[in-house]
């Protein structure tokens, strides 16, 4: 394709709302253009990359006998009411009424739609297993869309759904998809990790995330230095590499002391000369999930952890078997519960459940708030001065913590979630009467899994991981084109015909060629070639042509090879192997 | 692909809401399944056909240098307000608010979105021409969706938009797209006509429709028996093959006579013994288009035509340069305007504009209503008894009318509109400030055209045109598979390995093979093969195999050839040429 025949206008500057490199580069390279916040048009180059990734997905899923269909983007309320997700999904599910005042929503995910699609057909044990997928536009009414396609409102996903007779079958389907996802992301040639993650409220119990590593990633990951262990920080066990043991040997008597204006752990550490990791902070939450509107009780509870640690609300949720993360109490509620304002609160004397992070095991004679503004207590000890409800793993794991599987440690990375696999069990089958007759003629609910890949998000994440200061460095498999020919003397007939011949030769080998035939200066063209970032650049100018010194440039390494015209095709082919 | 590895459940009976053959067949063959009225899931077979048609479109448009992009399905109100179509589009445009109370709609068409996409970039005469297209899901809030994908709410369209510096360029782009559409529909091998049509309120002045011929088509077409002339009845000129000339020689005196209870033309023809095509009917309309809410005047006018003719409201609209078809007066309004109820009204004595259809030229001493209930007038003549405002072509053309271009006649067909090309002029550029600098540095509005193909609709229309009592007869180019192998003895290893070898041999020639490996009776399998309708069926059973009499069946002609196993591949290949 020639530049003059497409619609491509690169930008020198990124728009002010583009915060991360990939977003800036995608806009500057004309891959996307914003129509409204979180809603983008994909330009021809962007679409080419997206389609290539879609085809990789199709090829690998078909190897696993997945069946492609296409479900609607507009769904009737009745469907989502069957699982109660019409209510549970919250404001992210965009709902509206049609001209006949009937309720609909835009599909944010398709569990309900796919069960409706199969439930009148999967009637016998002979009909299993099935794995059905689609690549479809999704819409989620993000309150604060940002980062281009990374957290958009309208985006494209591949979503697959497995149907099996029993749990063993479902877990086998899970493993097959896990393997297919590995093949898919391996083909991109990018650096990714498969991590344990939280299943959220989608309804399952086993889940892994596929995370492309990138500094701008929204997810924090921890990866073992010794084993394959990797987890999203949401669920990563937190184990001290060197367990803390207090130097104190005996329990002392509790003592109140004045701490005027010392509200933060940092303040208190300076004021008391005790390091933050030997101080204890007390946080207050409500266990009332609001399921019963008549119940306005707070159901307050406290979580205690080291001053240097960060609480992990997902661990609290999972430990207490709550549906959602617990709500932190407001300052006024804390005052009501403890008698003091945040900064002076502690466990002593309170009659609410107390959950202590495992990091506090081994603590003796420690400092906590006195539940009286401007005062703290020292020489506090569990059991003696207050009764803990339980010890549990409630803090965020961090770089340097112990690997849960080995004597290695954990190293932290940032990741962009591009895929996930979920084992769903019978949740949707039960809600939507998904039953079949087993070999004994008995009616059973089937087991499901669901498996997503963010198609548009992956394309951007690839750029986030693979770029330099000059522009994109496309992985070959999803590069919009493989070769970028900078034709410098656009009116030189000999060069034009050389470029035509070279293009034909490369295209015969399925190498896709983009030709910059614009009437622009060489430096301008080279800058655009770097920005667009196709794997190989060939510079065709009169001087180089006459001197048998045509430049073939590896975009990634910037390595330049100078060759005679008839050597170029072979070199390009070699670089693309 | 093997039947056992896909998700396909055929139905013996069509659902009760399927009225036309193609809708019934698509549901029965598992191509589509309804999620809500006008909203369907495309099964794997349906999706395969759709994708093949999409690829035909892509290939042909790329030959015409069209550039593929993908625009969003959700659009902000601000965009549609620029052209005032937020209001003008009516209830078919599905509007909703997001969680922040901002107004959006689902894209029903993309003129506004595409102008927004290009308007900051097409700045110089050097940037033209451009032709940008997408294949995207569209949503129109049809009040009464029916006929499956033919008049659905959610459907897929290819929409292209041309941008040119001047009208000459725009008309050239129009011709190029016209030619590309011919190539696209020729490849389907179906019977279609390109017809003149009404431009509606999309804003252009030149338009053609591509119509697949089918009895269930919603459009009436008229096609010349002698030339290439073809038109939608909406705009087809109506010319009598044999012009009517009254046998009367002199004008007689007007005479009122009693016609008690004679309200319809049929009644009156019997009562007066004058044939309907020599009677005159008078219809009343309002020219008030409601643009000014304070203007409640009726602006009544009358249209007169032969009793045997049908009025064409689009011709009235176009003749009077109205934005929409005029509203017929209610019975009460007719009484107010004429002094009589419908059935006894006529032109004599009324002070409103009178438009006479050309068919009344040559009428003398004719009968009209007397504007007095139960009375008519005879011996009425134009000029003498009432003053016509104008004669014009205001009736529906019909089978047997004269070809406007030759001495041939018109033959009527029913058609399904699958494509249209529109010349838009500067309407959208002017509304959205689509300007560029011409060669003289002067700012100009660019010229546009828009070009649509109903992707999902075409697939169904193909079936509507190409089927028999047993099922679908797929055109080869969009058949989900080319060959349907009925493997009769599914546990016979020799046959299984023969089918595998045959499949490999055919697939090497890019022939796509579907294998019915279900444990079902032969007759059951043959019925499904006919229903699914892939071009060639091969029956592989032990008896035929041993006798070297394997059946190769042409789905369209039902012709059966019996061959030795090693002759089958060649025959299949030949049939698919």
């Amino acid at each position: 394709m020639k530049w003059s025949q497409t619609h491509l206008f690169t930008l020198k500057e990124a728009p002010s709302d583009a915060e991360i490199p990939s977003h800036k580069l995608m806009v500057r390279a004309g891959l996307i253009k914003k129509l409204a916040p979180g809603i983008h048009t994909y330009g021809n180059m962007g679409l080419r990359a997206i389609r290539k990734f879609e085809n990789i997905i199709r090829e690998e899923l078909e190897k696993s006998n997945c069946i492609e269909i296409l479900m609607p983007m507009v769904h009737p309320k009745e469907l989502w009411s069957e699982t109660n997700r019409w209510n549970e999904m919250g404001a992210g599910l965009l709902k509206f009424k049609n001209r006949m005042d009937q309720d609909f929503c835009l599909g944010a995910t398709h569990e309900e739609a796919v069960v409706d699609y199969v439930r009148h057909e999967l009637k016998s044990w002979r009909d299993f297993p099935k794995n059905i997928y689609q690549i479809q536009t999704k819409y989620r009414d993000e309150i604060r869309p940002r980062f281009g396609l990374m957290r958009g409102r309208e985006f494209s996903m591949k979503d697959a759904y497995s149907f099996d007779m029993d749990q063993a079958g479902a877990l086998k389907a899970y493993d097959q998809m896990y393997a297919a996802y590995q093949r898919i992301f391996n083909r991109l040639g990018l650096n990714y990790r498969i991590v344990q993650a939280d299943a959220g409220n989608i309804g399952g119990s086993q889940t892994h995330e596929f995370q492309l590593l990138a500094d701008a990633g929204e997810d924090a990951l921890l990866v073992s230095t010794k084993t394959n262990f990797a987890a999203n920080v949401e669920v990563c066990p937190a184990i001290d590499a060197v367990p803390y043991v207090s130097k104190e040997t005996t329990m002392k008597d509790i003592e109140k002391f004045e701490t005027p204006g010392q509200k933060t752990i940092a303040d208190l550490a300076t004021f008391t000369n005790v390091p933050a990791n030997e101080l204890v902070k007390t946080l207050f939450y409500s266990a009332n999930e609001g399921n019963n509107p008549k119940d306005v009780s707070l159901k307050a509870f406290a979580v205690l952890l080291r001053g240097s640690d960060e609480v992990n609300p997902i661990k609290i949720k999972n430990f207490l078997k709550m549906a959602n993360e617990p709500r932190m109490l407001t300052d006024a509620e804390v005052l009501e519960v403890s008698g003091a304002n945040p900064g002076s609160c502690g466990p002593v004397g309170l009659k609410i459940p107390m959950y202590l992070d495992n990091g506090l095991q081994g603590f003796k004679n420690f400092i906590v708030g006195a539940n009286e503004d401007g005062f703290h207590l020292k020489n506090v000890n569990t059991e003696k001065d207050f009764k803990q409800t339980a010890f549990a793993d409630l803090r965020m794991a961090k770089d340097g913590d112990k690997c849960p599987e080995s004597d290695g440690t954990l190293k932290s990375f940032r990741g962009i979630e591009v895929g996930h696999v979920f084992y769903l069990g019978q949740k949707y089958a039960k809600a939507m009467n998904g039953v079949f007759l087993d070999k004994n003629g008995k009616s059973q609910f089937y087991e499901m899994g669901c498996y997503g890949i963010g198609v548009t998000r992956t394309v951007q994440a690839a750029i986030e991981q693979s770029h330099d200061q000059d522009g994109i460095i496309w992985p070959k498999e999803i590069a919009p084109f493989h070769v970028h020919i900078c034709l410098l003397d656009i009116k030189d007939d000999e060069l034009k015909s050389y470029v035509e011949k070279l293009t034909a030769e490369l295209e015969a080998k399925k190498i896709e060629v983009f030709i910059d035939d614009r009437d622009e200066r060489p430096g301008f063209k080279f800058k655009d070639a770097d920005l667009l970032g196709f794997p190989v650049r060939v510079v065709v100018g009169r001087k180089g042509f006459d001197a048998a010194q045509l430049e073939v440039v590896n975009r990634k390494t910037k390595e330049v090879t100078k060759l005679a015209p008839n050597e170029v095709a072979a070199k390009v082919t070699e670089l693309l192997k």
Side-chain angles (χ1 to χ4, degrees), chain A:
Chain A
M1 187 195 276
K2 291 178 179 160
W3 195 311
S4 62
Q5 281 169 354
T6 187
H7 179 92
L8 177 62
F9 294 81
T10 57
L11 297 174
K12 262 187 142 164
E13 304 290 338
S16 57
D17 65 351
E19 301 168 60
I20 59 174
S22 56
H23 187 189
K24 290 179 187 173
L25 290 171
M26 290 193 88
V27 176
R28 287 185 53 211
L31 302 175
I32 59 171
K33 181 177 281 185
K34 186 170 79 174
L35 180 67
I39 300 175
H40 298 85
T41 294
Y42 310 134
N44 182 262
M45 292 291 173
L47 189 60
R48 289 178 73 96
I50 291 167
R51 293 269 188 263
K52 287 189 179 187
F53 185 48
E54 288 178 357
N55 284 335
I56 290 173
I57 294 173
R58 283 196 182 97
E59 285 171 20
E60 297 304 333
L61 292 189
E62 270 156 36
K63 286 181 198 162
S64 298
N65 287 330
C66 298
I67 302 152
E68 187 175 7
I69 65 167
L70 187 63
M71 291 179 275
M73 65 186 199
V74 173
H75 300 182
K77 173 183 180 180
E78 293 67 36
L79 185 69
W80 286 73
S81 296
E82 289 190 49
T83 58
N84 200 31
R85 291 212 297 178
W86 182 262
N87 297 320
E88 284 174 4
M89 286 287 284
L93 188 69
L94 200 147
K95 300 166 184 173
F96 55 85
K97 286 181 186 294
N98 74 354
R99 67 198 292 177
M100 274 115 103
D101 212 39
Q102 295 158 332
D103 287 296
F104 288 88
C105 66
L106 289 183
T109 172
H110 281 69
E111 282 81 9
E112 285 82 357
V114 77
V115 172
D116 182 69
Y117 180 66
V118 302
R119 66 177 154 181
H120 299 296
E121 299 173 338
L122 296 184
K123 286 288 168 201
S124 154
W125 61 272
R126 288 184 188 85
D127 300 327
F128 296 90
K130 288 270 189 270
N131 192 319
I132 293 177
Y133 78 99
Q134 66 171 352
I135 296 176
Q136 172 64 304
T137 302
K138 299 259 189 288
Y139 199 91
R140 285 185 195 159
D141 202 8
E142 279 285 350
I143 201 155
R144 198 182 158 215
R146 58 195 298 210
F147 304 146
L149 306 185
M150 213 93 107
R151 206 201 290 169
R153 287 175 172 152
E154 187 171 330
F155 56 95
S156 169
M157 264 190 81
K158 185 285 302 175
D159 43 328
Y161 305 88
S162 63
F163 298 87
D164 283 275
M165 280 190 284
D166 50 28
Q167 195 184 43
L171 293 176
K172 193 175 154 202
Y174 185 95
D175 291 342
Q176 280 171 346
M177 287 303 271
Y178 187 104
Y181 277 31
Q182 287 180 304
R183 295 196 303 271
I184 290 166
F185 291 109
N186 286 344
R187 280 180 64 176
L188 289 186
L190 293 167
N191 195 2
Y192 72 96
R193 293 288 182 282
I194 306 169
V195 304
Q196 299 172 15
D198 186 55
N201 59 0
I202 197 161
S205 55
Q206 184 180 344
T207 178
H208 284 89
E209 290 171 351
F210 287 69
Q211 295 265 2
L212 284 195
L213 302 187
D215 292 341
E218 293 192 272
D219 286 308
L221 316 178
L222 291 156
V223 179
S224 171
T225 55
K226 281 237 170 140
T227 73
N228 282 327
F229 177 87
N232 193 309
V233 72
E234 291 175 350
V235 297
C236 184
I239 306 166
D240 290 333
V242 182
Y244 174 83
V245 182
S246 171
K247 283 162 241 153
E248 309 269 334
T249 48
T250 55
M251 291 194 208
K252 297 183 186 162
D253 283 344
I254 202 164
E255 200 178 303
K256 183 157 90 176
F257 64 108
E258 222 172 326
T259 51
Q262 309 302 316
K263 294 201 170 167
T264 67
I265 288 290
D267 290 344
L268 195 65
T270 311
F271 184 84
T272 58
N273 210 19
V274 175
N277 62 355
E278 295 182 17
L279 291 170
V280 174
K281 60 185 173 191
T282 309
L283 305 173
F284 295 89
Y285 292 91
S286 168
N288 187 336
E289 297 206 68
N291 295 330
N292 179 356
K294 285 181 192 159
D295 179 5
V296 295
S297 66
L298 262 188
K299 297 185 183 165
F301 65 92
V303 171
L304 277 68
L305 67 167
R306 289 186 294 222
S308 56
D309 284 334
E310 198 185 334
V311 71
N312 183 331
I314 290 176
K315 288 184 177 175
I316 302 177
K317 175 199 83 170
N318 290 337
F319 183 73
L320 297 182
K321 297 189 176 21
M322 297 175 70
N324 295 291
E325 296 172 24
R327 177 177 72 79
M328 280 198 95
L329 298 193
T330 63
D331 288 4
E333 288 168 339
V334 169
L335 183 63
E336 187 193 323
V337 167
S338 73
N341 282 295
S344 298
C345 305
V348 179
L350 299 191
K351 299 273 176 264
I352 59 175
M354 302 276 175
Y355 301 101
L356 271 63
D357 178 64
N358 286 336
L360 297 182
Q361 279 171 348
F363 266 50
K364 264 202 192 96
N365 300 329
F366 51 88
I367 294 173
V368 296
N371 292 330
E372 183 180 343
D373 283 349
F375 289 90
H376 277 73
L377 303 175
K378 63 170 79 168
N379 300 332
V380 174
N381 287 283
T382 56
E383 298 292 346
K384 183 166 84 62
D385 300 313
F386 68 97
K387 176 80 186 107
Q388 74 276 12
T389 312
F391 275 99
D393 176 7
L394 301 175
R395 71 182 192 272
M396 293 285 185
K398 56 182 190 295
D399 199 285
D401 276 354
K402 184 181 168 304
C403 166
E405 297 182 343
S406 70
D407 60 356
T409 56
L410 296 178
K411 196 166 153 41
S412 71
F413 292 92
R414 304 294 300 179
I416 300 165
E417 185 195 340
V418 288
H420 60 228
V421 287
F422 279 109
Y423 162 60
L424 290 173
Q426 298 180 328
K427 170 175 169 163
Y428 292 92
K430 280 184 173 162
M432 299 181 70
N433 197 31
V435 292
F436 69 99
L437 292 181
D438 69 12
K439 288 186 187 177
N440 304 316
K442 213 184 128 200
S443 185
Q444 302 272 12
F445 292 111
Y446 38 73
E447 293 260 333
M448 287 177 64
C450 75
Y451 314 91
I453 290 180
V455 175
T456 41
R457 173 185 265 219
T458 299
V459 170
Q460 180 168 345
I463 296 172
E464 189 61 38
Q465 184 178 103
S466 183
H467 68 270
D468 62 18
Q469 71 283 2
D470 297 321
I472 300 165
I473 301 172
W474 281 106
K476 190 186 76 181
E477 288 260 7
I478 58 169
F481 287 90
H482 301 118
V483 181
H484 188 127
I485 299 182
C486 292
L487 174 58
L488 302 188
D489 302 284
I490 59 169
K491 282 166 190 164
D492 186 319
D493 285 335
E494 193 186 9
L495 294 190
K496 272 160 66 180
S497 97
Y498 169 71
V499 165
E500 263 171 44
K501 243 183 56 198
L502 176 63
T503 301
E505 193 177 341
L506 293 171
E507 286 180 348
K509 294 179 189 170
K510 306 253 179 226
I511 293 172
E512 296 163 2
V513 180
F514 183 69
I515 304 162
D516 184 352
D517 61 345
R518 294 174 302 167
D519 186 9
E520 299 285 359
R521 284 171 299 105
F524 191 88
K525 292 192 172 193
F526 299 157
K527 273 204 157 52
D528 271 344
D530 280 344
L531 173 62
L532 291 171
F534 308 147
V536 179
R537 186 211 308 173
V538 179
V539 182
V540 179
R542 176 43 67 185
K543 261 170 66 182
F545 191 81
D546 289 343
Q549 296 266 303
L550 292 179
E551 289 187 0
V552 177
V553 188
N554 180 329
R555 171 65 186 89
K556 188 170 184 177
T557 63
K558 300 237 171 169
E559 200 187 348
V560 179
T561 316
K562 295 189 178 185
L563 294 165
N566 63 0
E567 297 167 332
V568 169
K571 179 68 184 176
V572 168
T573 311
E574 179 204 317
L575 284 174
L576 287 168
K577 269 210 180 104

